Amino acid sequence: MNDGAAGLQLCPFLRVTIAFILGILLADWAGGNVSPPTWLWMLAGVVVLTCAAWRWKTAQSVAVLLSFVVLGAWIMSSYASSLRTSLPQERTLYKAILTSEPVRHGKVIMFDAIVAEGELTGRHVKVSMLRDTVVGRYLRLHVGDGYTACSRFERLANYHRGNFDYVRWLEANGFSARTFVLPADWRKDIVSFKSLSSIQRLKIKALKLRRSLLGIYRSLSFSDDQYALLSAMTLGDKSSLTKELRERFSQVGVAHVLALSGLHLGIVYFFLSFFFRHSDKSVLVHALLLLSIWAYVMLAGLPAGMVRSAVMLTVYAIVAMLRRQPMSLNTLSMTAFLMLVVNPCSLWDVSFQMSFMSVLGIVLYYRPVYTILSQQWLQAHPTVSWIWSMLSLSVAAQIGVAPLVAYYFGQFSTSFALGNLFAVPLTTLILYLSPVLLLLTPLHALQAAAAMVMKWLTSLLTHGVILLSTLPFASVNDIHINAIQVTLLYVLVGIITALIRLLHKGRRLRKMLQTEKNDDS
């Protein structure tokens, strides 16, 4: 962990990433007024300026950072241009392939699709389809199926109140349009996958496999809440989660256990690492561990949040192999930079922001919080040390994300420390047991016994979260703050952090002076 002495000069990637983000924001502010070729010419000019300033170190450093600003603007402008497309004004005939499992919402089913033939070939679209309740043809639609339809494509629009920008989120995930389809205007069809990339085809195959695994869960007679919890926590399918259950987990500050994220991948990575604990952690061992992690991500259908966590874990593993400090500002900045190069719109993705701010909180605050208690005393009490470590991790992550949670969701959980202390161990047990449950499919008696244990664990987690959410002042709700206030909150946290570190340095300096004085006397 950083001790505060590592300034910007020790974190080159932090400066580069900040400059790159400024470029993304600059291009977004400029909109379509500055074209990608113009940004590219500006980038070439700055590079020439950088080379010309080689004699003056300060000028060259400024020019290098400026080049990353322009690079970010060029990449953002190019990405935004790729998303912009002219939509046909009238209804159009097209063929599409489902890239997600249909979810029922009242009178319609909703799913994601990619157009395989037609005017928007290759584009991702959000589809709402009116259910034909008499015949029920919609029941035969599943991920990977093709259909032919005639409907009108429309611009993406915000339906959500509050600070969450739904259109930004859709653009960050590659969507270009939305459409509404009537029952008489579509039919299931055989559609060629030729227009899909290799990654898209692999993702569809993985989602089909996930659907079959979810079928195994359904066959084991879990209750609705148990099935919803298990499918969300282990395979990333949140379609069965009720709004009430989501809100309960959010109130207790443990909503992250419902979405496959860095927590889940970290648990899986630790579990797999346990089998190689006596090895020298060679490149081959690390490669096998990362291959297993990415196979799990693929099985879950390559959700954006999980891909982001897998990239972060991969970078950290590579840095650890190089015998460098993995949990550092420099490594975190490098991960963010790489992901923003691939998709600069991720900067407006809520899960992207919260993922990196939670890890930043852990990098900056875990060690200071953990060392509040005496290290000698903690070493003498291993159980207390483990509990305190969990609480310190939870507090550090919460410092990083609390302003964002208040901004986007209008609430702050005051019971997050207790909730995580309760939920994370149970989540770990559920993740460890889930592959056993699936592998025991041919052995029905053993699978039934494992299912009983899983039912008990999921019920314990659900009821525990519900109980915690009913405690007085478990969460502060109806918080209304704007983007400027969020920025000021983070500035305030930064100032307090700097003051605490200055005081800590002052105490250390006084101790050193006192020690020297005692030695002299």
Side-chain angles (χ1 to χ4, degrees), residues 243-256 258 398 405 409-420 464-478:
K243 183 179 179 181
E244 181 185 1
L245 193 60
R246 290 172 186 260
E247 289 179 351
R248 295 285 190 180
F249 274 76
S250 182
Q251 288 172 357
V252 183
V254 294
H256 57 281
L258 297 177
Q398 195 70 19
V405 172
F409 307 109
Q411 66 177 18
F412 172 75
S413 173
T414 56
S415 55
F416 67 89
L418 185 59
N420 280 279
V465 167
I466 291 175
L467 178 62
L468 287 175
S469 68
T470 58
L471 294 177
F473 309 108
S475 64
V476 180
N477 301 314
D478 298 323

Side-chain angles (χ1 to χ4, degrees), residues 74-212:
W74 172 58
I75 291 178
M76 176 62 198
S77 179
S78 301
Y79 190 86
S81 297
S82 69
L83 290 178
R84 286 194 293 266
T85 182
S86 57
L87 301 179
Q89 297 298 315
E90 305 295 332
R91 296 188 343 140
T92 181
L93 185 67
Y94 63 93
K95 292 186 177 183
I97 299 169
L98 277 73
T99 56
S100 71
E101 194 67 19
V103 178
R104 180 174 169 178
H105 289 279
K107 296 182 179 180
V108 302
I109 59 169
M110 302 178 69
F111 55 86
D112 304 335
I114 183 169
V115 180
E117 296 180 32
E119 294 212 25
L120 297 182
T121 299
R123 300 285 182 173
H124 291 270
V125 295
K126 280 283 183 179
V127 182
S128 297
M129 184 178 287
L130 188 64
R131 294 190 294 119
D132 50 330
T133 54
V134 177
V135 181
R137 288 183 301 136
Y138 71 93
L139 295 172
R140 297 193 293 270
L141 280 178
H142 299 288
V143 62
D145 289 342
Y147 70 95
T148 299
C150 183
S151 64
R152 181 185 175 188
F153 290 106
E154 299 176 341
R155 296 288 177 191
L156 301 172
N158 275 312
Y159 295 108
H160 298 73
R161 294 181 178 179
N163 294 314
F164 176 63
D165 193 333
Y166 184 57
V167 172
R168 281 283 194 187
W169 181 86
L170 290 174
E171 290 175 346
N173 287 276
F175 289 94
S176 300
R178 60 191 174 100
T179 186
F180 182 80
V181 185
L182 295 171
D185 294 335
W186 73 274
R187 70 174 187 275
K188 192 173 180 180
D189 203 352
I190 298 176
V191 180
S192 173
F193 279 54
K194 290 183 178 180
S195 61
L196 274 64
S197 66
S198 300
I199 295 295
Q200 289 167 340
R201 297 179 194 181
L202 192 59
K203 179 178 179 179
I204 289 175
K205 289 181 180 179
L207 287 172
K208 285 183 176 181
L209 175 59
R210 186 181 75 170
R211 181 169 170 262
S212 65

Side-chain angles (χ1 to χ4, degrees), residues 34-43 74 77-78 81:
V34 183
S35 64
T38 303
W39 287 116
L40 187 57
W41 278 109
M42 292 172 62
L43 178 60
W74 172 58
S77 179
S78 301
S81 297

